[in-house]
């Protein structure tokens, strides 16, 4: 792994705009579509971008890995944060976001988020999203979550906000007649000889209008593929969250940043030490309405640890839970909301109530066992304030992106807002471009080995053991060695014998997971401090002198398949200009 010294991203001069030359092994496309814009993902970010691009007259195609309403947005419980209430202001929202981000937020990006956010939410409502309102006043009901000093979280269906937003946007996309390709795993970016975006290759699973590997040709691609929570054994993310967008962007030559900052949600329903896959989330809004975190003796252990106690930012609460678990040799803590009573549980948190009862726990009469689990990637594909990446014509928004808004730890319920605001900004930027034909697509032979399907569980075990909530030099070194061994074994089979795993959804996903896992561990090893949701037990203090800066990572085109990890000179990101400035005409 190459790790040059400090300097602006791209300063080693080895890589070009044409990408890395690495592609997944896959059959040649057997069908194709033409568009002006292809949106990959169907959460709040992807569908908002698609609607706005189509409204601007751009031929838009939405590609999504499952069905239109089956991404991470649907699982969002708490709500969407915006300064909508009396006495609240964007400036106060900005302050709370900067505190949660632990010194690594891009203040300009946050200011855009909080100032454009309220109107973006109102436009979402105009598109059909219905939020909970007060029976007395008719105004939107607002609640609090961790890190917020004001009640500014709008919610729907009690604790089904994401499902309502997804419903409204899916219906709007269908009403607009936007072409969609469902059950499609995106594979790689198509590029011309100058490295400009020319579309994507994808594989459609099952029978339908399209089947097997195909291509969507377009001069602009918007990645809105969501997160990478499936890199860990237990996560709140759906099974489709395998880091596909980040891996695609890296292979295309784009830069990623801040992948070491994985937010572990403090209160995930504990289903046993061996629980794997998607776990039931117990929304932060439950604490926002007055639930307490207690240990096995009923002691509120967060009191005195932070001025907001249970409503401290998520990294602080997760660390508080982990410390108490370590002190007591316990596998979980408890969330006590028995004082809510049955009516409040049934009306305000029906989804969580049903999930708990399905697992034999009744929160009306007993505390809920909870423990942290992987929840949200604060980092991702590095963008500017218009969602442009370091590859021309490639955009990113939502959880797959690193806009600078979240810093080292995302403030609760800022994720839906970020997806909304930056999707609109991307669409507005694309609307200003004049479209012409791309140059011919440059065929790139597949040079990266595929992982066998069974590697997925091994990667998850390695990451959970070595790069979870609590990390150390020793645990990260063990993880890095194990991940490199997986990569080296597959690479040797390819280089020495010309063999690789059989192309297919399982092997493509496992390969993407290994890619993002290697980047995450490399960055976590390099960052020798504790900041936000990156917790190093061997470096327990925050170190602003040496580490108030970002780590930018890319794949090298000159040093075969190596990761290039470059710290920035300051907390400011280097510009993505000029390589990323879209030029959508010849």
């Amino acid at each position: 792994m190459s790790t040059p010294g400090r300097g602006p991203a791209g300063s080693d001069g080895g890589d070009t705009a044409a990408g890395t030359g690495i592609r997944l092994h896959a059959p040649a496309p057997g069908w194709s579509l033409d568009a002006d814009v292809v949106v990959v993902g169907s959460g709040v970010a992807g569908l908002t971008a698609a609607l706005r691009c189509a409204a601007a007259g751009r031929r838009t195609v939405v590609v999504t890995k499952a069905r239109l309403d089956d991404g991470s947005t649907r699982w969002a419980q708490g709500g969407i944060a915006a300064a909508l209430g009396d006495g609240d202001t964007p400036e106060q929202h900005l302050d709370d976001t900067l505190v949660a981000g632990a010194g690594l937020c891009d203040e300009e990006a946050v200011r855009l988020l909080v100032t454009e956010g309220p109107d973006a939410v109102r436009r979402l409502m105009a598109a059909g999203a219905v939020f909970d309102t007060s029976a007395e006043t008719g105004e939107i009901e607002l609640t609090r979550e961790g890190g917020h000093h004001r009640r500014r979280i709008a919610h729907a269906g009690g604790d089904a906000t994401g499902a309502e937003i997804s419903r409204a946007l899916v219906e709007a996309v269908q009403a607009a007649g936007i072409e969609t390709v469902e059950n499609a795993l995106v594979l790689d970016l198509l590029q011309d000889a100058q490295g400009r975006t020319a579309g994507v290759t994808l594989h459609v699973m099952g029978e339908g209008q399209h089947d097997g590997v195909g291509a969507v040709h377009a001069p602009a691609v918007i990645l809105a593929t969501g997160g990478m929570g499936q890199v860990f054994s237990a996560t709140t993310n759906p099974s489709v969250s395998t880091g596909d967008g980040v891996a695609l962007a890296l292979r295309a030559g784009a830069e990623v940043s801040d992948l070491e900052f994985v937010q572990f949600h403090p209160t995930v329903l504990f289903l046993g030490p061996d629980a794997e896959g998607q776990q039931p989330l117990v929304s932060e809004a439950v604490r926002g309405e007055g639930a307490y975190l207690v240990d096995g003796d009923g002691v509120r252990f967060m009191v005195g640890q932070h001025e907001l106690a249970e409503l401290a930012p998520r990294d602080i609460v997760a660390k508080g839970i982990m410390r108490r678990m370590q002190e007591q040799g316990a596998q979980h803590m408890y969330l006590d909301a028995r004082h809510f009573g049955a009516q409040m549980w049934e009306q305000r948190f029906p989804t969580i109530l049903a999930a708990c009862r399905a697992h034999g726990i009744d929160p009306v009469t007993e505390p809920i066992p909870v423990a942290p689990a992987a929840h949200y990637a604060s980092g991702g594909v590095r963008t500017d304030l218009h969602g442009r990446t370091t590859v021309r014509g490639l955009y990113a928004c939502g959880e797959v992106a690193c806009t600078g808004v979240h810093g080292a730890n995302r403030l609760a319920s800022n994720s839906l807002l970020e997806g909304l605001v930056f999707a609109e900004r991307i669409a507005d930027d694309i609307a200003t471009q004049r479209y012409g034909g791309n140059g011919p697509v440059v065929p790139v032979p597949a040079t990266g080995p595929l992982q066998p399907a069974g590697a997925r569980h091994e990667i998850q075990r390695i990451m959970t053991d070595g790069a979870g909530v609590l990390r150390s030099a020793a645990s990260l070194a063990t993880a890095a060695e194990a991940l490199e061994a997986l990569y080296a074994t597959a690479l040797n089979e390819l280089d020495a014998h010309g063999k690789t795993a059989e192309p297919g959804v399982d092997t493509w996903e496992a390969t993407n997971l290994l890619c993002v896992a290697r980047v995450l561990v490399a960055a976590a090893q390099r960052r020798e401090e504790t900041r936000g949701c990156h917790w190093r037990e061997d470096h327990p203090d925050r170190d602003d002198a040496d580490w108030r800066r970002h780590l930018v990572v890319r794949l090298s085109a000159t040093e075969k398949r190596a990761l290039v990890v470059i710290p920035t000179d300051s907390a400011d990101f280097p510009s993505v200009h000029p390589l990323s400035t879209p030029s959508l005409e010849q």
Side-chain angles (χ1 to χ4, degrees), residues 188-477:
D188 278 303
L189 192 73
L190 295 171
Q191 294 170 277
D192 66 15
Q194 286 71 48
R196 294 178 298 192
T197 293
V200 293
T201 55
L202 63 158
H203 173 78
V204 178
M205 299 166 272
E207 296 180 1
Q209 182 180 357
H210 307 288
D211 197 12
V213 175
V216 181
H217 298 284
V221 171
I222 302 173
L223 293 179
T225 52
M228 56 183 194
Q230 290 291 326
V231 79
F232 294 97
S233 297
T235 176
T236 62
N237 290 189
S239 61
V240 295
S241 298
T242 52
D244 307 320
V246 171
L248 173 150
L250 281 164
R251 290 192 295 269
E255 295 176 349
V256 303
S257 188
D258 296 355
L259 241 59
E260 67 270 34
F261 297 117
V262 176
Q263 186 177 87
F264 287 78
H265 199 288
T267 54
V268 175
L269 184 62
F270 181 75
L271 300 180
D274 299 322
E276 295 182 345
Q278 186 177 8
Q279 308 294 300
L281 176 66
V282 182
S283 170
E284 200 147 309
V286 177
R287 281 175 281 140
E289 296 291 353
Y292 306 132
L293 279 168
V294 298
D295 61 17
D297 297 322
V299 176
R300 286 183 64 189
F301 55 88
M302 284 305 299
V303 174
Q305 291 198 35
H306 189 276
E307 60 165 334
L308 296 176
E310 285 91 354
L311 283 176
R314 287 179 178 172
D315 64 309
I316 294 172
V317 178
K319 290 170 188 173
I321 291 174
M322 290 297 294
R323 287 194 188 100
R324 198 65 157 195
M325 288 165 56
Q326 289 174 331
E327 291 168 1
Q328 299 188 344
Q331 294 180 326
H332 61 81
M333 291 287 109
Y334 293 93
L335 187 64
D336 192 350
R338 289 175 290 180
H339 52 285
F340 284 6
Q343 184 176 3
M344 181 173 176
W345 267 109
E346 291 165 0
Q347 294 182 355
R348 180 67 178 86
F349 301 111
T351 306
I352 299 170
L353 178 63
C356 289
R357 285 177 170 170
H359 291 282
I361 299 156
D362 188 350
V364 176
T365 60
E366 60 186 316
I368 305 168
V370 294
H375 181 58
Y376 190 87
S378 293
V381 185
R382 191 168 75 82
T383 74
D384 66 8
L385 299 179
H386 298 282
R388 297 177 290 203
T389 74
T390 48
V391 172
R392 290 176 290 180
L394 179 65
Y395 296 79
C397 56
E399 191 173 354
V400 71
C402 182
T403 62
V405 160
H406 304 309
N409 182 44
R410 173 177 68 89
L411 181 66
S413 287
N414 268 357
S415 53
L416 292 175
L417 189 71
E418 183 202 30
L420 194 62
V421 168
F422 282 86
E424 291 188 345
R425 295 184 68 81
I426 287 172
D428 291 347
D429 188 73
I430 289 175
T432 68
Q433 307 300 322
R434 290 182 298 166
Y435 283 75
N438 276 71
V441 172
V442 175
V444 178
T447 57
L450 292 179
Q451 290 294 308
R456 177 173 182 147
H457 295 293
E458 182 65 11
I459 293 164
Q460 291 171 334
R461 182 195 63 76
I462 292 167
M463 293 299 289
T464 298
D465 291 346
V469 179
L470 183 58
R471 305 163 178 175
S472 69
S475 75
L476 290 166

Side-chain angles (χ1 to χ4, degrees), residues 93-104:
H93 190 182
L94 180 142
D95 290 343
D96 286 344
T97 301
L98 295 180
V99 169
L104 283 186

Side-chain angles (χ1 to χ4, degrees), residues 1-38:
M1 179 174 65
S2 176
T3 53
R6 292 192 179 116
S11 62
D12 67 330
D15 295 81
T16 70
T20 63
I22 301 173
R23 293 294 183 269
L24 293 174
H25 285 260
W31 55 271
S32 66
L33 300 173
D34 291 319
D36 296 325
V37 183
V38 55

